Amino acid sequence: MKAYTNDAAVEDAYGKAKEIYANFGTNTGKVIKAALDIPLSVHCWQGDDVTGFEGSQGLGGNGILATGNYPGRARSGDELRSDAEFAFSLIPGKKRFNMHSLYAETGDIKIGRDVLEPEHFRKWMNWSKKKKIPLDYNPSFFSHPLAGDATLSSADPKVRKFWIRHAISSRQIASAFGENQGTPSVNDIWVPDGLKDLPADRLAPRERLRDALDEALAVKLPAGTITDAVECKLFGIGSEAYVVGSHEFYMGYAAKKQISLCLDTGHFHPTETIGDKISALLLFVPRLLIHFSRGLRWDSDHVVIFSDDTRDVCREIVRTKSLDRVDIALDYFDASINRIAAWAIGARSLRKALLEALLEPHKLLRDAENSGRYHERLALMEEFKTLPFAAIWDKLCLDASAPVGTGWLSAVDAYEKEVLSKRH
Ligand code: RNT
Ligand code: ZN
């Protein structure tokens, strides 16, 4: 696919668009810089369908499932790192990389997840430092023989304690990342614990999950190295009737412990969106982590697109001036399409939605609202939708030396031919 435009055409269109936005009091130059400056935590697990390097054949367990068999997934740390670097070149702006415990590199030695140490991520940390890509982290409570219906909420003390040790080891690894990179590493706890059919006791597993989290979080780590987050889910495949870590559970827990709450855009009722939750939650929790994803019927993990949902969440983060209290991450896994394209599509769409949110002349909307001119508020909202946004987006890509328009597709084709197609 050829690029549809060239640099001169981008500059030309931008010059005109800039004037139009200036009429509404928006300085597009400043906004482009601000939009490029927001770190997006790109998820490592799109690169290999959440398989990891423990020798497993793929994702397993309640509530989490990747489908598809597109050729060329990364099979090692080196492959994943080079795929990610290539994907990064297609994504304008600041990036972080979101790791999972499954991606430890332990050589030929099998190391239990409960005794993993920062050393097992040495290659990742060196790479992170060299590429100036800070790392985030996630303990892996799935694809494991001890991850059945329950992990941290298990009634079996042996199982529960194993996962508590895993949670602690994960926090220590995240903290080492934070130390290495000089910015806190976000450590997100998501457990799949739940039941396929109607439980008789909804309370006891939640008490056990609360106590297990308390134990894992009690371990003190150097200040400024880690942001602890917890992630809820409404239901998953295999946990349709009951999920221990529901929204109410974690909302209460994060508020009580004053830790970050993770909202995954695919983890709510199919018609429920999370934009409206941001201003409410930020009154009671210190930080939010957003997992940008796309729910489609029963699946919570389709590739992020520039949808009303994505745009709405970005607008709310910007309107509430909360960019410094919200960590922004991607979370989806589509194994049926080229994985690098999946990374690029999702991350570019998310950056686009942040740019759009920052371009909004919010003050005009608030003024109309505060003076009761609601017709004006609605008229302006409608008008803003058709301003020449594409010209500003293209200019952002150009400024960041990222491909403009569809130009990146040919690069993906070439990489597929030269690299991915040779993996068998
Ligand atoms: C699962 C959660 C969780 C995972 C990743 C791989 O439903 O969204 O965030 O997707 O940890
Ligand atoms: Zn998630």
Side-chain angles (χ1 to χ4, degrees), residues 191-247:
V191 298
D193 303 23
L195 291 171
K196 184 181 177 72
D197 222 329
L198 302 173
D201 183 358
R202 292 169 182 269
L203 179 61
R206 288 187 169 138
E207 287 172 333
R208 287 193 294 268
L209 178 56
R210 176 199 58 196
D211 296 346
L213 289 167
D214 282 354
E215 213 177 312
L217 290 167
V219 174
K220 289 266 170 295
L221 295 162
T225 58
I226 178 170
T227 300
D228 287 296
V230 284
E231 177 179 2
C232 71
K233 190 163 184 167
L234 175 67
F235 77 95
I237 307 286
S239 58
E240 290 84 356
Y242 173 66
V243 166
V244 183
S246 60
H247 179 49

Side-chain angles (χ1 to χ4, degrees), residues 45 50 63-64 100 138 142 188 190 231 233 264 267 291 300-301 331 333:
W45 52 90
V50 214
I64 183 157
H100 235 286
N138 301 260
F142 46 83
D188 178 47
W190 173 75
E231 177 179 2
K233 190 163 184 167
D264 182 308
H267 286 193
H291 271 187
S300 69
D301 292 295
D331 178 16
F333 25 98

